[in-house]
Amino acid sequence: MILPVPTHRHPQEFAKKFLFANIDYNRLTFETRTYYPIFWKFVLMTRLRAGIVTSVDEVPLYKRFYAGGIGEDGVRGYPDRSLSPRENGRAVGGNAIFVNNVELKLKLTQGLAFLAFYDMGNAFPSYKDVKLYHLYRGLGLGIRIEIPMMGVIGFDLGYGFDRDTPGFEPHFQINPFGMF
């Protein structure tokens, strides 16, 4: 019997004026991933990421959360950093985030993998506004090619169900650290 392999991360970041920072904030995130070997060369990965940022001052735009696209706050099927509270039509980031990803990966060779994914997520104005029924959903397919001395090149094509006009969004990525 092959058991699932869980991994967890709990990054914390803070800045305090009494430590000579210009602003005062706390940024906490929690992430867990579990890999389930299914059969042959198939692996199912589930990932949950949640985070909050609080401040006695206004949280700077660059410390807020933005979901969408690829990366650690990725929801494929939507443009990068597009799922966020908005002011005057402009994404201003949220003080809370929730992202859930499920991937089924077929690793054919050491350097070639295909995957199918289902992503859900959103950034919210505050932790009090987090509503799990208000997550944006994306579904799609991807390919990963590992090139020695360069890293992994990936292409995903995600379908965003909850866009103003539902449709496909391509995502291209280069990861110099290899396949996960």
Side-chain angles (χ1 to χ4, degrees), residues 110-153:
Q110 185 64 30
L112 178 64
F114 295 96
L115 55 100
F117 59 84
Y118 181 72
D119 298 339
M120 299 181 294
N122 199 3
F124 301 92
S126 81
Y127 71 91
K128 296 175 186 175
D129 299 312
V130 173
K131 308 274 189 292
L132 296 183
Y133 58 82
H134 189 12
L135 299 177
Y136 291 86
R137 302 164 297 140
L139 176 76
L141 300 171
I143 185 171
R144 302 290 183 270
I145 301 169
E146 188 165 11
I147 300 172
M149 304 289 291
M150 184 174 175
V152 175
I153 295 176

Side-chain angles (χ1 to χ4, degrees), residues 95-115:
N95 293 335
I97 193 165
F98 183 88
V99 175
N100 183 235
N101 311 99
V102 177
E103 280 187 2
L104 179 63
K105 182 182 278 189
L106 169 60
K107 192 165 182 181
L108 284 178
T109 67
Q110 185 64 30
L112 178 64
F114 295 96
L115 55 100

Side-chain angles (χ1 to χ4, degrees), residues 13-27:
E13 182 181 329
F14 66 92
K16 301 294 177 194
K17 288 185 178 178
F18 72 86
L19 294 174
F20 308 106
N22 293 334
I23 54 173
D24 196 295
Y25 73 90
N26 300 302
R27 191 173 199 262

Side-chain angles (χ1 to χ4, degrees), residues 26-120:
N26 300 302
R27 191 173 199 262
L28 308 168
T29 57
F30 171 80
E31 179 179 316
T32 184
R33 292 179 193 225
T34 304
Y35 296 88
Y36 301 91
I38 308 270
F39 67 94
W40 191 48
K41 297 181 179 191
F42 287 94
V43 175
L44 180 70
M45 185 273 296
T46 60
R47 175 180 171 260
L48 172 70
R49 179 173 166 80
I52 61 169
V53 60
T54 61
S55 177
V56 294
D57 304 318
E58 184 174 342
V59 177
L61 292 175
Y62 60 90
K63 290 298 176 184
R64 295 181 187 176
F65 295 104
Y66 299 84
I70 57 174
E72 62 183 11
D73 297 329
V75 179
R76 292 163 287 191
Y78 300 87
D80 288 340
R81 300 170 54 96
S82 65
L83 306 178
S84 153
R86 297 189 171 276
E87 289 180 8
N88 300 322
R90 190 174 138 245
V92 294
N95 293 335
I97 193 165
F98 183 88
V99 175
N100 183 235
N101 311 99
V102 177
E103 280 187 2
L104 179 63
K105 182 182 278 189
L106 169 60
K107 192 165 182 181
L108 284 178
T109 67
Q110 185 64 30
L112 178 64
F114 295 96
L115 55 100
F117 59 84
Y118 181 72
D119 298 339
M120 299 181 294

